[in-house]
Amino acid sequence: MLENGAAPPPGDSYSPPPAGGVATRLLRRKPVERLVAEGGQGEGGTLRRSMGVWQLTMISIGATLGTGIFVVLGEAVPDAGPAVVLAFVIAGITALFSALSYAELAGTIPVSGSSYSYAYATLGELVAWVCGWCLILEYGVSVAAVAVGWGQYLNEFLAGTVGFTIPDALSAPPGQGGYFNLPALLVVLLAMAFLLGGAKESARANTIMVVVKIVTLLMFCAVAFQGVKSGNYANFMPMGMAGVSAAGATLFFSYIGFDAASTAGEEAKNPQRDLPRAIMLSLVIVTALYCLVAAIAVGALPWQKFKGSEAALAGILKNVTGHDYWSVLLAFGAVVAIASVVLTVLYGQTRILFAMSRDRLVPKTFSKVHAKTGVPRVNTVIVSLFCGVLAAAVPLGQLADATSIGTLFAFALVNVAVIVLRKTRPDMPRSFRTPLSRTRWLWPVFPAIGFLLCAFMMSRLGPVTWVVFGGWMAVGLVIYFGYGMRRSRLATAEK
């Protein structure tokens, strides 16, 4: 029986396990129909369905476009050299296979929890918790990592307009010449202010920012192309394929946007139709722009000069033109672009915690919705303050790799969830299916490839990243067994 005394929906493989069996309690699943029926419901209010395919696509692009190009490019080029373009392609292909799985599940289970909810419906509560805990790492740390680079571009813009910059002590993270990254904290608080105004208002602001950053990147390509030199491509793969794959693993951090779109499932007008479209469209647009900008950037500036630069594109324009005007425009576009990423990823983080809180795996404070704005206010404030302080105090490189491993792990689970749901609920209506899904023997091929690619990319990350990830998982398991397992709504339904 379900929490309200009703029987599980017909055809669902869920059945409440006996309260005394620990193993079966860890594998309890939440029915798909129940997940969908609870959509939008929070403590004291409901989320509002106000987004169409255009807004969802802009959320996806907003959470993705800008991070890898404006910030992480300086971290990846020293590993891959000019072959950083291939690194973007590898990361994009890896993301594509997972995006196909996301599109199928987003159209089938259109809820805010993203891969956490997909895992809850297919792989059981413990795996769902692990996935949700990875998403907290993915989203929370991603907000901080992106915000870290905002200060460098802000200083570029200020220097070119008013001749004043924020001192390194207050604009760089500890370990890189600073004590406290004040701009990083400010951009997170700015995003928080937009989110507190409502989902529709935030989506409108994000759309404007996305248009600005696309125009900015196209402007960079047009101007920087004049400085491209064929000799800069001569030593195309200086670190070999190992360097390319290592850069690709870092750059995968730049492809989490379509996951952010899937967290809007309970605020979309027609999620079954629009979410798959938004996910696939955004991935194509972002990958094309990433590769174009990266190819021109390494052609206009020797790859050895990228090391240590988090505002590389502005510097390239200054070198090519000899004037500050274009670099100031680029810096302004980057300030807007990174703010857009912070806004949309912070939005995704709050919706993940909203879903986990509704299931009582985390305190119900995170699922309280303000009746007037339809926004989880307390959730938004808590997450924003945490991410802002993290952004101000931790170096970028460590944050980017930590985000990559959390993202890859969650994506791997989504690919598995597609296969499991196909086996357990083959007749469930699906508005989108991965390729070959109607072929008798080949239907699991694309999700399986997606899983293997995620596993390979995880293997390319450094030992320090794995240690951090292992510690994060250990903390998460302690919280689950000490709090979530006994308080979850499925657990209380068994009593």
Side-chain angles (χ1 to χ4, degrees):
M1 302 294 285
L2 298 184
E3 187 175 11
N4 59 4
D12 201 297
S13 57
Y14 169 83
S15 59
V22 175
T24 50
R25 289 167 65 189
L26 298 178
L27 296 175
R28 55 195 170 203
R29 288 175 287 165
K30 191 171 183 180
V32 173
E33 287 82 358
R34 179 171 170 180
L35 278 167
V36 175
E38 290 178 352
Q41 298 177 18
E43 293 288 324
T46 59
L47 302 178
R48 297 174 181 173
R49 295 195 177 275
S50 58
M51 300 185 199
V53 66
W54 172 251
Q55 290 86 355
L56 294 171
T57 303
M58 291 299 103
I59 286 177
S60 189
I61 295 177
T64 307
L65 186 59
T67 310
I69 283 296
F70 286 110
V71 181
V72 187
L73 187 64
E75 300 275 337
V77 171
D79 287 335
V84 70
V85 179
L86 294 182
F88 271 115
V89 172
I90 290 172
I93 291 174
T94 303
L96 172 62
F97 282 94
S98 294
L100 290 168
S101 292
Y102 261 97
E104 176 167 326
L105 290 177
T108 308
I109 314 174
V111 294
S112 289
S114 183
S115 49
Y116 155 76
S117 295
Y118 308 153
Y120 213 162
T122 57
L123 303 173
E125 186 173 280
L126 177 61
V127 177
W129 167 264
V130 169
C131 189
W133 194 243
C134 282
L135 289 172
I136 292 174
L137 177 68
E138 171 192 333
Y139 279 94
V141 177
S142 177
V143 169
V146 176
V148 166
W150 193 69
Q152 290 231 1
Y153 278 106
L154 180 62
N155 270 341
E156 288 278 343
F157 177 69
L158 292 175
T161 52
V162 298
F164 168 81
T165 60
I166 303 172
D168 286 346
L170 293 176
S171 63
Q176 296 182 14
Y179 296 102
F180 191 81
N181 193 329
L182 182 60
L185 175 61
L186 292 178
V187 71
V188 175
L189 295 180
L190 178 64
M192 179 187 75
F194 276 113
L195 291 175
L196 290 175
K200 185 177 181 180
E201 292 74 12
S202 301
R204 184 181 296 118
N206 173 67
T207 298
I208 295 172
M209 289 190 281
V210 168
V211 171
V212 169
K213 64 183 175 181
I214 289 177
V215 171
T216 300
L217 287 173
L218 292 177
M219 178 271 293
F220 167 82
C221 292
V223 176
F225 185 75
Q226 304 171 43
V228 171
K229 299 176 182 178
S230 59
N232 289 337
Y233 298 109
N235 189 12
F236 188 69
M237 202 179 293
M239 307 299 178
M241 197 61 202
V244 174
S245 59
T250 297
L251 290 171
F252 193 83
F253 159 79
S254 310
Y255 284 92
I256 68 170
F258 60 83
D259 185 274
S262 71
T263 66
E266 295 176 22
E267 290 162 286
K269 296 176 182 177
N270 190 345
Q272 287 88 349
R273 182 196 67 187
D274 293 342
L275 282 175
R277 293 180 181 180
I279 288 170
M280 300 311 301
L281 180 59
S282 63
L283 184 64
V284 171
I285 293 172
V286 165
T287 302
L289 279 170
Y290 274 163
C291 292
L292 177 63
V293 174
I296 292 176
V298 294
L301 181 70
W303 68 270
Q304 298 91 339
K305 296 185 178 181
F306 278 82
K307 188 173 180 63
S309 175
E310 291 172 5
L313 299 189
I316 290 172
L317 289 183
K318 188 180 296 185
N319 291 339
V320 169
T321 64
H323 302 290
D324 292 335
Y325 175 74
W326 293 107
S327 63
V328 170
L329 283 179
L330 189 284
F332 171 75
V335 167
V336 174
I338 296 171
S340 172
V341 176
V342 172
L343 173 66
T344 49
V345 176
L346 191 64
Y347 166 84
Q349 171 72 99
T350 60
R351 271 41 178 189
I352 294 294
L353 281 170
F354 174 85
M356 296 178 72
S357 173
R358 186 169 56 199
D359 293 328
R360 298 295 182 265
L361 293 179
V362 298
K364 63 181 181 180
T365 298
F366 290 97
S367 58
K368 289 183 178 179
V369 177
H370 191 267
K372 184 177 180 180
T373 62
V375 171
R377 277 192 172 182
V378 177
N379 178 345
T380 301
V381 171
I382 292 174
V383 170
S384 299
L385 292 177
F386 173 80
C387 293
V389 172
L390 187 65
V394 180
L396 169 64
Q398 298 174 19
L399 288 173
D401 283 349
T403 302
S404 289
I405 197 168
T407 303
L408 286 163
F409 190 83
F411 284 11
L413 290 179
V414 168
N415 286 296
V416 174
V418 168
I419 296 174
V420 172
L421 194 62
R422 290 264 193 86
K423 291 290 292 182
T424 57
R425 301 292 303 275
D427 299 326
M428 176 175 288
R430 290 167 170 83
S431 60
F432 179 90
R433 292 175 179 265
T434 58
L436 304 179
S437 62
R438 299 186 187 279
T439 305
R440 183 175 181 184
W441 301 111
L442 298 179
W443 63 265
V445 167
F446 272 74
I449 292 175
F451 173 83
L452 293 174
L453 286 173
C454 288
F456 170 75
M457 297 289 276
M458 289 177 71
S459 72
R460 304 306 302 167
L461 294 170
V464 174
T465 303
W466 276 98
V467 170
V468 172
F469 182 67
W472 179 259
M473 285 295 100
V475 171
L477 290 175
V478 168
I479 294 174
Y480 172 71
F481 286 109
Y483 181 91
M485 187 174 74
R486 292 179 290 108
R487 288 176 170 83
S488 79
R489 293 181 70 178
L490 291 187
T492 56
E494 296 166 6
K495 297 177 180 178

